[in-house]
Amino acid sequence: MPPAPTISSVKQTFVSAQTNLLSQPIAPSRAWRASNDASEHAIPNRLVDDAVASVNRTIQQHCRRVYAPQASRHVAEQISNLYSRDAERRLGNPDDAGGGIGRELDLVDENAIESLPAAWPSHKDVDAYPMEANRYAETVRQLADLSQRRKELRQRVERFRALEKSVEPFRTTDGVGVQENLVTRDGPVEKELERMRVLLARVVGRVSELPNPDAPQDSGRVELNALAAARKKHIEEFLADGRVFPS
């Protein structure tokens, strides 16, 4: 998060923007040129362009001399000093400071927001300006809500970053995603287990159809042995499958 701008930087940016507006070149409007061209005593366009160019040069020279960057910075520093002296005066005179909110407060900082009183501290001003006092209370309430939401979002981002860091060891060497041999929904392991379940059901059906005329009383035991052998075989094939457990 970038640092909060200082009073000097904010004021210098404002002064520079206004200076830039004042230093823009001027030009006759289209309406004036059309009116001049339609006049019986029209001023030649060459004379108009020369006069405009001369005025623009004068403007540029004036702006470079009067609105120099050093002058803008000096004005911004003076404004910052005024704010600082006002803050020092409030700190030195608690009775005066209790009558309002210091302009030096950074309303982006969470601690500054929490230090704001819920209602305007001056009862005299509340009685004199009830609408402004109500607007202040509503603004402070909205500011506190936004600060709380920002705090929750920051905590949520931190949790996501911690989660991302915890799964980082499971990424593949090419950085595509999580290892493919992990058990995930619709992953290779789940598909192979589904195939095994179908094969086991087919094996059970085939084994139950095998005739056993020599020992009909032991048919149940033979079916269980065959089922166990088939299940063991498929498990061994599954564990040896290089697509599921790549070496």
PDB file of all heavy atoms in Angstrom, residues 23-38:
ATOM      1  N   SER A  23      -1.327  28.543 -17.758  1.00  0.00           N
ATOM      2  CA  SER A  23      -0.279  28.643 -18.779  1.00  0.00           C
ATOM      3  C   SER A  23      -0.708  28.100 -20.135  1.00  0.00           C
ATOM      4  O   SER A  23       0.096  28.066 -21.067  1.00  0.00           O
ATOM      5  CB  SER A  23       0.968  27.884 -18.310  1.00  0.00           C
ATOM      6  OG  SER A  23       0.679  26.502 -18.143  1.00  0.00           O
ATOM      7  N   GLN A  24      -1.958  27.669 -20.261  1.00  0.00           N
ATOM      8  CA  GLN A  24      -2.419  27.149 -21.541  1.00  0.00           C
ATOM      9  C   GLN A  24      -2.517  28.275 -22.570  1.00  0.00           C
ATOM     10  O   GLN A  24      -2.952  29.389 -22.256  1.00  0.00           O
ATOM     11  CB  GLN A  24      -3.785  26.474 -21.381  1.00  0.00           C
ATOM     12  CG  GLN A  24      -3.760  25.231 -20.514  1.00  0.00           C
ATOM     13  CD  GLN A  24      -2.888  24.142 -21.110  1.00  0.00           C
ATOM     14  OE1 GLN A  24      -2.896  23.922 -22.324  1.00  0.00           O
ATOM     15  NE2 GLN A  24      -2.127  23.471 -20.259  1.00  0.00           N
ATOM     16  N   PRO A  25      -2.128  28.024 -23.809  1.00  0.00           N
ATOM     17  CA  PRO A  25      -2.219  29.074 -24.842  1.00  0.00           C
ATOM     18  C   PRO A  25      -3.674  29.387 -25.178  1.00  0.00           C
ATOM     19  O   PRO A  25      -4.554  28.532 -25.060  1.00  0.00           O
ATOM     20  CB  PRO A  25      -1.484  28.457 -26.035  1.00  0.00           C
ATOM     21  CG  PRO A  25      -1.577  26.977 -25.818  1.00  0.00           C
ATOM     22  CD  PRO A  25      -1.544  26.770 -24.339  1.00  0.00           C
ATOM     23  N   ILE A  26      -3.895  30.621 -25.577  1.00  0.00           N
ATOM     24  CA  ILE A  26      -5.242  31.053 -25.950  1.00  0.00           C
ATOM     25  C   ILE A  26      -5.377  31.013 -27.464  1.00  0.00           C
ATOM     26  O   ILE A  26      -4.385  31.004 -28.204  1.00  0.00           O
ATOM     27  CB  ILE A  26      -5.536  32.471 -25.417  1.00  0.00           C
ATOM     28  CG1 ILE A  26      -4.570  33.480 -26.051  1.00  0.00           C
ATOM     29  CG2 ILE A  26      -5.439  32.498 -23.906  1.00  0.00           C
ATOM     30  CD1 ILE A  26      -4.889  34.920 -25.700  1.00  0.00           C
ATOM     31  N   ALA A  27      -6.630  30.994 -27.918  1.00  0.00           N
ATOM     32  CA  ALA A  27      -6.904  30.975 -29.358  1.00  0.00           C
ATOM     33  C   ALA A  27      -8.304  31.524 -29.579  1.00  0.00           C
ATOM     34  O   ALA A  27      -9.209  31.288 -28.772  1.00  0.00           O
ATOM     35  CB  ALA A  27      -6.787  29.560 -29.918  1.00  0.00           C
ATOM     36  N   PRO A  28      -8.501  32.280 -30.641  1.00  0.00           N
ATOM     37  CA  PRO A  28      -9.850  32.799 -30.937  1.00  0.00           C
ATOM     38  C   PRO A  28     -10.815  31.646 -31.197  1.00  0.00           C
ATOM     39  O   PRO A  28     -10.448  30.624 -31.779  1.00  0.00           O
ATOM     40  CB  PRO A  28      -9.639  33.652 -32.189  1.00  0.00           C
ATOM     41  CG  PRO A  28      -8.176  33.948 -32.223  1.00  0.00           C
ATOM     42  CD  PRO A  28      -7.502  32.775 -31.605  1.00  0.00           C
ATOM     43  N   SER A  29     -12.024  31.820 -30.769  1.00  0.00           N
ATOM     44  CA  SER A  29     -13.027  30.782 -30.970  1.00  0.00           C
ATOM     45  C   SER A  29     -13.480  30.747 -32.425  1.00  0.00           C
ATOM     46  O   SER A  29     -13.267  31.695 -33.200  1.00  0.00           O
ATOM     47  CB  SER A  29     -14.229  31.037 -30.056  1.00  0.00           C
ATOM     48  OG  SER A  29     -14.856  32.269 -30.404  1.00  0.00           O
ATOM     49  N   ARG A  30     -14.113  29.666 -32.789  1.00  0.00           N
ATOM     50  CA  ARG A  30     -14.625  29.540 -34.159  1.00  0.00           C
ATOM     51  C   ARG A  30     -15.710  30.577 -34.435  1.00  0.00           C
ATOM     52  O   ARG A  30     -15.809  31.108 -35.551  1.00  0.00           O
ATOM     53  CB  ARG A  30     -15.175  28.135 -34.369  1.00  0.00           C
ATOM     54  CG  ARG A  30     -14.123  27.031 -34.307  1.00  0.00           C
ATOM     55  CD  ARG A  30     -14.759  25.677 -34.566  1.00  0.00           C
ATOM     56  NE  ARG A  30     -13.766  24.610 -34.532  1.00  0.00           N
ATOM     57  CZ  ARG A  30     -14.055  23.318 -34.705  1.00  0.00           C
ATOM     58  NH1 ARG A  30     -15.323  22.950 -34.928  1.00  0.00           N
ATOM     59  NH2 ARG A  30     -13.097  22.419 -34.661  1.00  0.00           N
ATOM     60  N   ALA A  31     -16.510  30.857 -33.413  1.00  0.00           N
ATOM     61  CA  ALA A  31     -17.577  31.847 -33.607  1.00  0.00           C
ATOM     62  C   ALA A  31     -16.986  33.227 -33.891  1.00  0.00           C
ATOM     63  O   ALA A  31     -17.484  33.975 -34.759  1.00  0.00           O
ATOM     64  CB  ALA A  31     -18.473  31.891 -32.376  1.00  0.00           C
ATOM     65  N   TRP A  32     -15.906  33.574 -33.169  1.00  0.00           N
ATOM     66  CA  TRP A  32     -15.294  34.889 -33.399  1.00  0.00           C
ATOM     67  C   TRP A  32     -14.677  34.957 -34.790  1.00  0.00           C
ATOM     68  O   TRP A  32     -14.798  35.960 -35.491  1.00  0.00           O
ATOM     69  CB  TRP A  32     -14.221  35.146 -32.345  1.00  0.00           C
ATOM     70  CG  TRP A  32     -13.644  36.537 -32.452  1.00  0.00           C
ATOM     71  CD1 TRP A  32     -14.080  37.659 -31.838  1.00  0.00           C
ATOM     72  CD2 TRP A  32     -12.525  36.919 -33.266  1.00  0.00           C
ATOM     73  NE1 TRP A  32     -13.315  38.740 -32.198  1.00  0.00           N
ATOM     74  CE2 TRP A  32     -12.344  38.310 -33.087  1.00  0.00           C
ATOM     75  CE3 TRP A  32     -11.672  36.239 -34.126  1.00  0.00           C
ATOM     76  CZ2 TRP A  32     -11.341  39.024 -33.731  1.00  0.00           C
ATOM     77  CZ3 TRP A  32     -10.673  36.949 -34.777  1.00  0.00           C
ATOM     78  CH2 TRP A  32     -10.510  38.329 -34.578  1.00  0.00           C
ATOM     79  N   ARG A  33     -14.007  33.877 -35.204  1.00  0.00           N
ATOM     80  CA  ARG A  33     -13.404  33.877 -36.544  1.00  0.00           C
ATOM     81  C   ARG A  33     -14.477  33.963 -37.622  1.00  0.00           C
ATOM     82  O   ARG A  33     -14.318  34.669 -38.632  1.00  0.00           O
ATOM     83  CB  ARG A  33     -12.547  32.627 -36.737  1.00  0.00           C
ATOM     84  CG  ARG A  33     -11.231  32.664 -35.969  1.00  0.00           C
ATOM     85  CD  ARG A  33     -10.346  31.482 -36.339  1.00  0.00           C
ATOM     86  NE  ARG A  33      -9.069  31.519 -35.656  1.00  0.00           N
ATOM     87  CZ  ARG A  33      -7.999  32.179 -36.089  1.00  0.00           C
ATOM     88  NH1 ARG A  33      -8.068  32.893 -37.215  1.00  0.00           N
ATOM     89  NH2 ARG A  33      -6.858  32.148 -35.412  1.00  0.00           N
ATOM     90  N   ALA A  34     -15.588  33.258 -37.416  1.00  0.00           N
ATOM     91  CA  ALA A  34     -16.664  33.329 -38.410  1.00  0.00           C
ATOM     92  C   ALA A  34     -17.259  34.729 -38.467  1.00  0.00           C
ATOM     93  O   ALA A  34     -17.555  35.261 -39.550  1.00  0.00           O
ATOM     94  CB  ALA A  34     -17.736  32.297 -38.068  1.00  0.00           C
ATOM     95  N   SER A  35     -17.430  35.344 -37.287  1.00  0.00           N
ATOM     96  CA  SER A  35     -17.962  36.710 -37.261  1.00  0.00           C
ATOM     97  C   SER A  35     -16.981  37.692 -37.891  1.00  0.00           C
ATOM     98  O   SER A  35     -17.387  38.629 -38.601  1.00  0.00           O
ATOM     99  CB  SER A  35     -18.258  37.108 -35.815  1.00  0.00           C
ATOM    100  OG  SER A  35     -18.694  38.456 -35.751  1.00  0.00           O
ATOM    101  N   ASN A  36     -15.690  37.485 -37.657  1.00  0.00           N
ATOM    102  CA  ASN A  36     -14.687  38.375 -38.247  1.00  0.00           C
ATOM    103  C   ASN A  36     -14.638  38.229 -39.764  1.00  0.00           C
ATOM    104  O   ASN A  36     -14.520  39.223 -40.492  1.00  0.00           O
ATOM    105  CB  ASN A  36     -13.324  38.073 -37.636  1.00  0.00           C
ATOM    106  CG  ASN A  36     -12.234  38.958 -38.216  1.00  0.00           C
ATOM    107  OD1 ASN A  36     -12.261  40.181 -38.059  1.00  0.00           O
ATOM    108  ND2 ASN A  36     -11.265  38.338 -38.892  1.00  0.00           N
ATOM    109  N   ASP A  37     -14.745  36.999 -40.240  1.00  0.00           N
ATOM    110  CA  ASP A  37     -14.713  36.788 -41.690  1.00  0.00           C
ATOM    111  C   ASP A  37     -15.939  37.387 -42.367  1.00  0.00           C
ATOM    112  O   ASP A  37     -15.863  37.846 -43.524  1.00  0.00           O
ATOM    113  CB  ASP A  37     -14.629  35.287 -41.995  1.00  0.00           C
ATOM    114  CG  ASP A  37     -13.314  34.680 -41.522  1.00  0.00           C
ATOM    115  OD1 ASP A  37     -12.347  35.450 -41.336  1.00  0.00           O
ATOM    116  OD2 ASP A  37     -13.261  33.443 -41.317  1.00  0.00           O
ATOM    117  N   ALA A  38     -17.068  37.392 -41.656  1.00  0.00           N
ATOM    118  CA  ALA A  38     -18.294  37.937 -42.255  1.00  0.00           C
ATOM    119  C   ALA A  38     -18.388  39.449 -42.123  1.00  0.00           C
ATOM    120  O   ALA A  38     -19.292  40.065 -42.716  1.00  0.00           O
ATOM    121  CB  ALA A  38     -19.515  37.283 -41.602  1.00  0.00           C
TER     122      ALA A  38
END
